[in-house]
Amino acid sequence: MSKQQDYDASSIKVLEGLEAVRTRPGMYIGSTSTRGLNHLIYEIVDNSVDEHLAGFCSTIRVTLENDGSCTVEDDGRGIPIDMHEKGVSAERVVFTTLHAGGKFDNKAYATSGGLHGVGSSVVNALSSRMTVQVKKGGSVYEDRYEKGVPVQKLTNGLLPVVGKAKGSGTKINFLPDDTIFEKTWFKSDDIKSRLHETCYLNPKLTIEFEDRREGCQEKAVFNEPEGIAGFVRELNKSDETVTDVIFFKGKYEGIEVEAAFQYIRDFKETILGFCNNIYNSEGGTHLTGFKGAFTNIINTYARELGSLKDKDSNYTGADVRNGMTAVISIKHPDPRFEGQTKTKLDNQDATKAVAQVTQDECVRYFDRNLETLKSVIECAERAAKIRKSEQKAKTNMLSKPKFSFDSNGKLANCESRDASRCEIFIVEGDSAGGSAKMARDRMYQAILPIRGKILNVEKASIDKVLANAEIKTMINAFGCGFSEGYGQDFDIEKLRYNKIIIMADADVDGAHISTLLLTLFYRFMPDLIYEGHVYVAMPPLYKVVPAKKDEQGEYLYDDYALAKYRKTHKGSFTLQRYKGLGEMDPDQLWETTLDPATRRLKLVQIEDGRMASEMTGLLMGTDVPPRREFIHAHATDAQLDI
Ligand code: TSJ
């Protein structure tokens, strides 16, 4: 068989592969929302970062073009364009083979972390067009694709030369396919922050960003020679610091470990883990190694220095991390990931490597910097003190009989104790609550009405939060306790309901109540959200009933659906607008929001833990000016009902 025929045969496989990507894009890039869209850029940029790690690329340029496409260009060696054994340019194999690599997989580190690293062929398949230009040996070579299918004619399987060039590099331009993505507007803030982060993790790399889209013209250059130490400094830029940034690195059994940390006055802990430049939002073994070793080190010193007496128990891990901001970055030759979003590092040898390097380097540092060590121990002391006094308050509160806060009988619990099938609806208002209690499936659906607005936990002190009757009722009803910084008393295994469903009116007040509840869950029971237990019910806004008797009535969930109905429906109909859940009778409530067969629920997910935490602080916290600024900048998205 000739080489060309050979390629024809394999090209059928290629088309099948592309089709698989286009049929289930979510499997390859996580989602087809803005997050998935932005991922296309990261996917491409990560290839240039690999070239940087291999030692051949110093600058990457990312441009958002006015036509909606994105250009990524680097000054590396250029993707190989010579003849591949399949009888066609190697470049074409890279862009048409799923998980391309194989032969090109001679990188120092595979960057397959979670959603990342699925490769350029996936981006190609999801782009209505893509142009690849490779500079090498004085010439520019070009290839073109549409929806992943090559459209450039080759000569003897090789790419045409389209110009002359100095130096070498790769330039990709791609336009995301608007039949695949729900939205095709790249979010420049997210992209900039991810590119900036990449530069903190790669101190010798420069990334130039440019937005050329109409009305958004902007340029930014990122280069962070200080590396992750600079990252920690940036994270703490608006906090009162207690120590300098401490940086260390080392290597253990083939695993490179780098860490930077600094203490701030605030009672919070921020520890970010990266493996091969990929952020691990669910943490993992590298963080376990760091935390374990650090706790040991501080307890050992605290006993040596007499801060802990013989009779005292050790500081907890959370105590010693009180006020700590840290970035742990490792390079692992064969990373494995697990967890709900496949972003939790799973390699057991990473625990040992990070623990060993942390032990050696921190002891070396603290032996020479006693004042810093004392400041760290003071932070742990303060945390331990508060932990002990809160423990007392908590045992007093939670040791009372179950549902003791429910003496007013507001919670209508379900009969089943099979948590996997039980649901609890948190319902705004007593009248909707009453209807919901009548309409529900008593076996599996519990109803907890809450009156008016709950406390904004972002603004209140912990004792106020715990004193709040509605919050106590919820904590007791869920059954898994709560965690807040120092105490790790939350136990998701004890959760009594598989689904926690927020049921609020589809108006501004309802949205506010949902936000307050989500803030509560996010701050005190974040695992409820991370493990996918929290939902928001989507009650319809309208019901349309056609005048003709034989036609079915329909619930409509937003104004867009109503406009569409008006356009497509022939004949007259009556329109009922629901002002609130309280207006629905039990039957309607059952059909629209309770019945698992017909209701609509929105699963609450965290796209980016850090971003979510910062946003929650910004939107729900006490500091007004930055919130006002944010609202003014984003107010065009809002729809107020007057
Ligand atoms: F994702 C991508 F494929 F589209 C892409 C790859 C996008 C961009 C903007 C850059 C790149 C890329 C690939 N930049 N640099 C490289 N380098 C290689 O592919 C390469 C070059 C030479 C050799 C060699 O062994 O000689 C090996 C490799 C992997």
Side-chain angles (χ1 to χ4, degrees), residues 560-584:
Y560 176 69
L562 178 60
K564 211 162 103 187
Y565 187 84
R566 285 205 156 106
K567 260 199 203 140
T568 53
H569 183 264
K570 296 182 188 70
S572 63
F573 58 88
T574 54
L575 176 69
Q576 188 183 355
R577 181 177 204 271
Y578 295 115
K579 286 236 182 61
L581 296 163
E583 282 187 2
M584 290 188 201

Side-chain angles (χ1 to χ4, degrees), residues 44 47-48 51 72 74 77-80 94-95 106 120 170 172:
I44 296 295
N47 286 278
S48 297
E51 186 72 356
V72 181
D74 72 32
R77 290 167 293 178
I79 298 177
V94 169
F95 282 95
N106 55 355
S120 40
T170 306
I172 311 282

Side-chain angles (χ1 to χ4, degrees), residues 84 93-95 97-107 119-121:
H84 186 265
V93 179
V94 169
F95 282 95
T97 313
L98 279 185
H99 303 293
K103 213 171 146 76
F104 310 109
D105 232 359
N106 55 355
K107 314 168 187 173
S120 40
S121 56

